[in-house]
Amino acid sequence: MLADFGPTYAANGFIGFVFAATAPVAIILAVGTSGGLSESELASWIFGVFFINGLISILFCWLYRQPLAFFWTIPGTVLVGPALAHLNFAEVIGTFYATGLLMLVLGATGWVRRAMQSVPMPIVMGMVAGVFLRFGLDLVRSLHADIGIAGPMAITFLLLTALPALGRHLPPLIGALLVGAIAAVMLGRVDATALGAFQLARPVVHAPVWSWAAMFELVVPLAITVLVVQNGQGFAVVKAAGHEPPIDAVTVACGVGSMLGALVGSVSTCLTGPTNAIITASGERSRHYTAGIFTGVLAVAFGLIAPTLTRLMLNAPKAFIMVLAGLAMLRILQAAFMASFKDRFTLGALVSFLVTVADQGLLNIGAAFWGLVAGFAVSGCLERRDFARSPL
């Protein structure tokens, strides 16, 4: 392993870790704070998604000699936000356990391939687009409300995206984060005295509450976002780099990781697409796994100092978090719309999107679940030809 490691793989592993430790963390903070979670609960959540998934990444990269970096489901994180408006956190954590158990069974029985193929992707992505839309809207609102912070971040992101030669050396999201941090300091918007002393992780162990309403609302959408949206992307990225990921074993790992993470209030584990794309961007195929191991090591270290970093982020201006999360969602939101309305099941996808955006729950079950139900029902009645053309 040491012989396979080198500067290229260290750089790729570091950049892949930094991607996970910036904007995706901002999404957790945005969702958690809007849902009323405390600083200690947020720090515990961040500890779980980095420490536990970092260990799984190290183990799988070493066992399979492949770039198999695990983190957490971003769509699943966003799904939790509206649920926290009418469910308590313990009920949501109960759904994390149930989702993990479902994935564990699907992976252990080998049914995961059939489960992934049985869901019309456009309808799922219509729901995902509806859930993600508010992050794009928050980005625009932040530009209006706090141009001093939001403006330089957005301009930096656009410049680094428009100039690939610069973007290769400084990824756009990281550039936006650095410029936003500098702007916040220059404008006197950071209270250094509020940061406190350095602190190691103190995970908060949560007892789950089992609620049928919560299960109906979150388990199926969470499982779909992990298995179809996130893992599907992760498998595609790893295969494109010339590897053959163990689909069943990865699914089992996602199930186990989800249940372990639920202990400390963390959302479900997944095989990440963006980070694996970064760690396989260059170098020899047979040595990519070392970049994944390095990413895992950095994730474990990050998780151990989660309270300090959480406090640092929470004391940043609100616009800083909103813009960082919104910029991270731009490409994902674009991909969701393209997948929803490109070819088949377009009417079902539209209905799924509209019902989710309307955010009107029923029977104490959130809109994301009903968006999927409405989309499937409409397509089943009015888009039968698409089902006939689908390789289900």
Side-chain angles (χ1 to χ4, degrees):
M1 183 177 65
L2 291 176
D4 285 340
F5 194 55
T8 297
Y9 310 98
N12 289 346
F14 176 74
I15 295 171
F17 158 75
V18 170
F19 174 86
T22 50
V25 170
I27 294 168
I28 290 178
L29 296 178
V31 168
T33 52
S34 66
L37 301 188
S38 67
E39 180 181 318
S40 61
E41 289 172 328
L42 286 170
S44 184
W45 183 337
I46 292 171
F47 163 79
V49 295
F50 280 96
F51 186 83
I52 293 171
N53 294 323
L55 291 177
I56 295 173
S57 298
I58 294 169
L59 176 63
F60 266 65
C61 290
W62 178 70
L63 284 177
Y64 291 95
R65 294 298 193 270
Q66 294 186 38
L68 300 171
F70 292 78
F71 278 115
W72 68 95
T73 167
I74 293 176
T77 302
V78 179
L79 278 171
V80 168
L84 286 173
H86 57 274
L87 299 172
N88 63 52
F89 195 35
E91 290 176 309
V92 171
I93 288 171
T95 69
F96 294 164
Y97 279 104
T99 304
L101 179 60
L102 175 61
M103 292 190 292
L104 176 61
V105 171
L106 290 174
T109 58
W111 295 343
V112 64
R113 293 176 187 267
R114 185 176 301 175
M116 292 173 65
Q117 294 173 350
S118 65
V119 180
M121 180 64 80
I123 298 174
V124 173
M125 296 309 290
M127 178 272 289
V128 170
V131 170
F132 283 179
L133 183 64
R134 71 183 183 90
F135 284 88
L137 297 177
D138 284 343
L139 170 60
V140 177
R141 292 171 183 140
S142 297
L143 288 167
H144 181 268
D146 197 344
I147 189 65
I149 301 291
M153 293 178 70
I155 291 170
T156 301
F157 178 85
L158 292 173
L159 285 175
L160 291 174
T161 303
L163 302 173
L166 291 177
R168 282 193 293 270
H169 298 286
L170 182 63
L173 278 173
I174 298 174
L177 180 146
L178 294 175
V179 169
I182 293 170
V185 171
M186 292 181 66
L187 294 173
R189 304 282 296 280
V190 177
D191 182 8
T193 61
L195 300 181
F198 178 84
Q199 185 179 354
L200 289 175
R202 296 180 180 177
V204 179
V205 178
H206 297 269
V209 171
W210 310 109
S211 162
W212 284 113
M215 296 295 175
F216 278 115
E217 177 176 349
L218 288 177
V219 171
V220 171
L222 272 174
I224 289 175
T225 61
V226 172
L227 298 178
V228 180
V229 180
Q230 298 269 208
N231 282 12
Q233 183 187 55
F235 290 138
V237 165
V238 174
K239 286 183 177 180
H243 303 278
E244 285 297 328
I247 294 177
D248 292 337
V250 165
T251 306
V252 169
C254 289
V256 173
S258 297
M259 289 188 284
L260 291 175
L263 280 170
V264 294
S266 298
V267 76
S268 304
T269 294
C270 72
L271 183 72
T272 172
T275 298
N276 280 310
I278 293 169
I279 65 180
T280 59
S282 59
E284 299 174 28
R285 183 179 62 185
S286 62
R287 300 168 68 182
H288 285 160
Y289 76 96
T290 61
I293 291 175
F294 190 56
T295 297
V297 170
L298 293 174
V300 168
F302 188 91
L304 290 174
I305 57 172
T308 302
L309 297 169
T310 301
R311 188 177 303 114
L312 177 65
M313 294 284 280
L314 287 175
N315 280 277
K318 182 179 179 181
F320 177 81
I321 299 297
M322 293 295 101
V323 172
L324 198 59
L327 292 174
M329 286 296 181
L330 274 182
R331 291 294 190 187
I332 303 174
L333 187 58
Q334 178 190 26
F337 276 116
M338 291 176 64
S340 299
F341 306 115
K342 181 181 180 180
D343 186 14
R344 297 177 293 112
F345 302 105
T346 53
L347 182 59
L350 177 61
V351 170
S352 179
F353 171 76
L354 292 175
V355 172
T356 304
V357 169
D359 197 21
Q360 298 297 309
L362 181 65
L363 302 176
N364 203 33
I365 299 173
F369 173 80
W370 295 116
L372 289 174
V373 171
F376 292 152
V378 168
S379 288
C381 293
L382 304 179
E383 295 181 311
R384 296 177 182 175
R385 291 184 179 179
D386 289 341
F387 278 102
R389 292 163 52 199
S390 180
L392 304 184

